[in-house]
Amino acid sequence: MLRFLSSIRLAVILIATIAGLAVSATIYDMPEMFQSMPFRVVVAVFFVNLLTCSVQLWPGLWRTLRRNARDIVGKEAGFRKSNYTEKELRERLQTAHYTVDEVETDNGRYLYAVRGRLAFLAPHLLHIAILVIIIGALLSSFAAKAQIQLAPGEVMALPETITAHTGPLSLAVDSFDTVYDDQGAVENWVTDFSLISEKHEEKAQTKVNSPYKSHGLSIYQMAYSNRYEVTMEGDHPDYTGEFEFPEDQKIPLREGSMMFSAMTEHVVLFSLFDKDGNLVEQEGLREGTSIEPLKGLRLTYEKPSAYTVLELKYSRAIPIVFAGFILATIACCLFWLGRFRAVAIHISKEGACALSVRSKSSEVREAVYAELGVESM
Amino acid sequence: MTDLQMPLLFAILIVSGLDGLVAFIARKKANLAKVIYVLTGVSAVVAIVLLVIRGRLAHGLPLANGLDFSLWLVLVLNLFIFFLIKRARLFMAAFCIDIIVIGLTVWMMSLDLTVSPLMPALRSPWLSVHVLTAMLSYSCLCVSFVLSLLLLVKGSGISLPGEATQELKELDYWSYRLVIIGLPLLTVMLITGSIWAEYSWGSYWSWDWKETWALITWLVYALYLHLRVSGWRYKKAAILNLIGFAVVVFTFFGVSYLLPGLHSYLQT
C-alpha cells in the first residue's frame, strides 16, 4: 500500500486527474469545481503521494550525497575499462569540474568524482516546495476577507469577519488620490488611512501593487469609484432633498430608473430608463447643471465625490505559501545547474583504470563513459 | 517611430521566409549554414529594433501585451535557430521554427500597434520577471515541440528505440532537455505571477482561466517528466510533448480570446 502511495504511477494518475478536472472546469465554466469535495480529495491524495514519496526517497538521497571514495572500495567488479591513464582521467575530471574524493588501499587507488550534487536535489526540493504550498493553500483558504468603500474623511468599523482576528479596529480614510505619470497617464491610486484600535492610532498607506501588511492583516487598493451629489426637487416627497448616488447603478424612479456614469473628468453621463429598462434619455451634465427628466421632477447635479474601495484580508498563512514559492524557485535554479553524475574509479597498482558511471539518464551515462575513454558496449 | 513598426514587422516576415527557405534547402547542402546565421541575425536585430521602438514609446521594457510578448518570442526563437544549426545542424528544425516565427509575425501585423500607457496594476517590477520567464519558457517548449514533431515525422515506420539513428537520438534528447529548462521557467513564471497577484489583487491564486490553463500546462509537462523517468522515450514522449505544446498555444491564444478574465491583455 505504502509503495503504491509513493509510486510514480499514482503520481501520474493524480497529475492527469487534476489536469483533467481543471480542463473540464474550464469547458463547462465551473470555477466552483476547484472548491468542490472531489477536487479537494484528489489534491489530498496527491499531497499524500508527494509526502510518502519524499519521505521514502530522502534517506537514499542523503546516502548518495554523502557517498565518498571509501564507500566504493572493493566494489570494482562491474567497472568498465578506460583507455586513459590516471593522469589523463584526472585532467578530464578537473576540466569537467568534478569534485574528487580519493582513498589509497592495498588494492590500489579509488576515486569518487561527483558533479551536479545540487541538481540531484532539485526534483526532491520541488516536491517539498509543493507540499509546503499545498499546506499554505489549505490554511489560507480560511482567510477572512471583506471589502469596504469609504470617501476621504469617513470612518468605518472594520467588519466582524476581520475584527474576530484583529480585535476591534476602525479605519478612517485621510485622503484618496490618483497619481499621474509624466505623460499624464494614471500611475496609481493611493489611499492614506488611519487604523484606529482601542489603544492607538496608526497612520498608513495602501496603493496598487503595494498593499498595507501588518500582523496578518492586509489592506489592498482594489478600485475606486464616484458618488454623485445631486439635489432633487419635485412634487413627490421621496425625491426631494440632497442625495449621493453611486456610479453605474440604476436608481429606481416612479416611471423607470436613472443612472449616473463617469463621462469625462468634469462631466457625468445621466441616463434615464423606462420600466422595461429601455434607454429613454441620455445627457452629459456639468457641475451645477439642472434638468427635468420627469414631469414635476427637477434634478441638479452638484459635484462628484471619489471614494476608495479597499479589500481587507486576514491570513497568517501567506508566509507559508511564500516559503513554498521560495523553495520552488531555489529548486528550479538547481535544475539548471546541470545533471547529477558520479564516477567511481579504481586505479590498480599496475596503473590500469576502470570506472563506473552513475546517473539516472542513460544519455548522460553514455556521454560520461565516452568522455572518460570507455568504449561503448 | 510608431509608423516604422509595420515595415519592420514586414521585414521580419520576409527575412524569416527567406531563412526558412534556405534552411529547407540546407538540409541537403549544409554549407548554407552561414547564410542561415546571417538571415537569423538580421531577423533578430529587426526584432530588437522593434522592441527598442516600443520600449521608447512605452517608457520602459515593452511587455504590456501579446504583441510585445510575441516580439520577444521571435527574438528568442531566432537565437534558438542559431543554436540548433550551430550545435546539431538541425536544419529542418530551423525551417519549422521559421514557419512559427512567420505565423507569429502575421498575427502581430493584425494587431493594433499603438503603445498605450500601462494600467496601474501592470506597473510593477514583477511584470518583467513574470512575462520574461513566461516568454523564455514558451520559447523552450516551442522548440521542444518542433524537435518532437520532427522525431515523429522522421521516426515514422521505424521501430524505436531499436532502430534509432543518431539524429533521432539527438531529437529525443534535446526535446527532453528543453522541457527540463522550460518547465522550471514555467514554474518561476507561475510563482512570480502568484506573488504579484497577491500584492496586486489580494490573492495569490484566483482560478482565473489564464492561471488555470497555465497550471494545466505545468501539469502536462510535469506528467511528461514523470513518464520520461518511468521509461517513456521517443514516440510516446514526443506525442505527450505535442499535447503539452497544444496546451501552451491554447493558454496563450485560446484563453485570451475565448475565456477572457483578469489576464485579458493579449488583445489590448
Side-chain angles (χ1 to χ4, degrees), chain A residues 158 166 169 171 191-196 200-221 310-314, chain B residues 198-199 202:
Chain A
L158 297 192
T166 60
L169 270 181
L171 191 145
T191 302
D192 288 300
F193 60 91
S194 305
L195 264 183
I196 307 153
H200 74 288
E201 183 177 328
E202 181 192 350
K203 296 271 180 199
Q205 188 183 73
T206 183
K207 53 186 175 181
V208 177
N209 284 321
S210 182
Y212 164 86
K213 282 181 180 278
S214 177
H215 299 97
L217 176 67
S218 306
I219 301 177
Y220 303 89
Q221 179 67 57
L310 302 175
E311 171 119 340
L312 312 170
K313 185 169 84 174
Y314 184 88
Chain B
E198 170 61 28
Y199 281 95

Side-chain angles (χ1 to χ4, degrees), chain A residues 158-195:
Chain A
L158 297 192
E160 204 183 324
T161 47
I162 301 294
T163 54
H165 304 278
T166 60
L169 270 181
S170 295
L171 191 145
V173 171
D174 301 324
S175 67
F176 171 64
D177 296 300
T178 302
V179 179
Y180 296 90
D181 64 15
D182 299 341
Q183 281 71 47
V186 176
E187 187 179 313
N188 215 321
W189 292 289
V190 184
T191 302
D192 288 300
F193 60 91
S194 305
L195 264 183

Side-chain angles (χ1 to χ4, degrees), chain A residues 220-238:
Chain A
Y220 303 89
Q221 179 67 57
M222 286 309 282
Y224 83 98
S225 194
N226 288 305
R227 291 179 196 145
Y228 299 104
E229 290 181 22
V230 173
T231 305
M232 304 228 285
E233 298 156 295
D235 49 14
H236 195 289
D238 288 353

Side-chain angles (χ1 to χ4, degrees), chain B residues 22-245:
Chain B
V22 175
F24 189 75
I25 297 167
R27 74 207 151 100
K28 287 182 180 161
K29 286 185 179 177
N31 55 354
L32 287 172
K34 280 183 184 164
V35 181
I36 298 176
Y37 293 152
V38 172
L39 290 170
T40 308
V42 171
S43 180
V45 168
V46 176
I48 291 171
V49 171
L50 255 169
L51 283 166
V52 170
I53 289 175
R54 292 185 64 81
R56 290 198 61 156
L57 293 170
H59 302 279
L61 267 183
L63 297 163
N65 52 32
L67 198 150
D68 293 332
F69 187 93
S70 303
L71 267 178
W72 284 100
L73 214 54
V74 165
L75 173 62
V76 176
L77 287 177
N78 273 306
L79 299 179
F80 265 115
I81 292 176
F82 195 87
F83 172 81
L84 288 171
I85 301 292
K86 184 93 183 164
R87 183 89 187 226
R89 300 267 150 184
L90 290 167
F91 292 105
M92 274 311 283
F95 169 72
C96 293
I97 295 170
D98 273 318
I99 289 177
I100 292 169
V101 169
I102 290 168
L104 270 174
T105 312
V106 169
W107 177 70
M108 284 191 280
M109 289 167 93
S110 73
L111 297 175
D112 178 10
L113 302 180
T114 316
V115 178
S116 310
L118 286 179
M119 61 173 82
L122 292 181
R123 293 177 187 235
S124 162
W126 290 106
L127 173 74
S128 317
V129 62
H130 177 61
V131 176
L132 288 176
T133 48
M135 181 274 302
L136 287 172
S137 165
Y138 283 11
S139 312
C140 292
L141 300 176
C142 174
V143 177
S144 175
F145 153 78
V146 166
L147 300 182
S148 286
L149 188 69
L150 286 175
L151 187 147
L152 286 174
V153 172
K154 289 180 183 260
S156 63
I158 295 176
S159 163
L160 294 171
E163 298 171 35
T165 59
Q166 186 57 32
E167 188 185 16
L168 289 176
K169 280 181 184 173
E170 288 219 342
L171 288 172
D172 185 54
Y173 177 72
W174 283 109
S175 62
Y176 168 59
R177 291 300 295 161
L178 284 166
V179 173
I180 285 278
I181 299 168
L183 184 62
L185 281 165
L186 200 65
T187 314
V188 175
M189 182 269 279
L190 281 171
I191 288 169
T192 51
S194 297
I195 295 171
W196 183 14
E198 170 61 28
Y199 281 95
S200 183
W201 299 330
S203 175
Y204 61 87
W205 196 264
S206 314
W207 293 111
D208 166 64
W209 294 134
K210 194 83 165 182
E211 287 174 357
T212 305
W213 275 89
L215 180 67
I216 293 168
T217 311
W218 190 88
L219 288 167
V220 173
Y221 282 103
L223 202 62
Y224 172 89
L225 287 189
H226 282 84
L227 286 169
R228 185 105 196 170
V229 170
S230 309
W232 279 34
R233 294 282 191 280
Y234 297 104
K235 289 180 187 174
K236 279 202 247 176
I239 289 168
L240 188 54
N241 200 2
L242 259 54
I243 294 170
F245 190 66

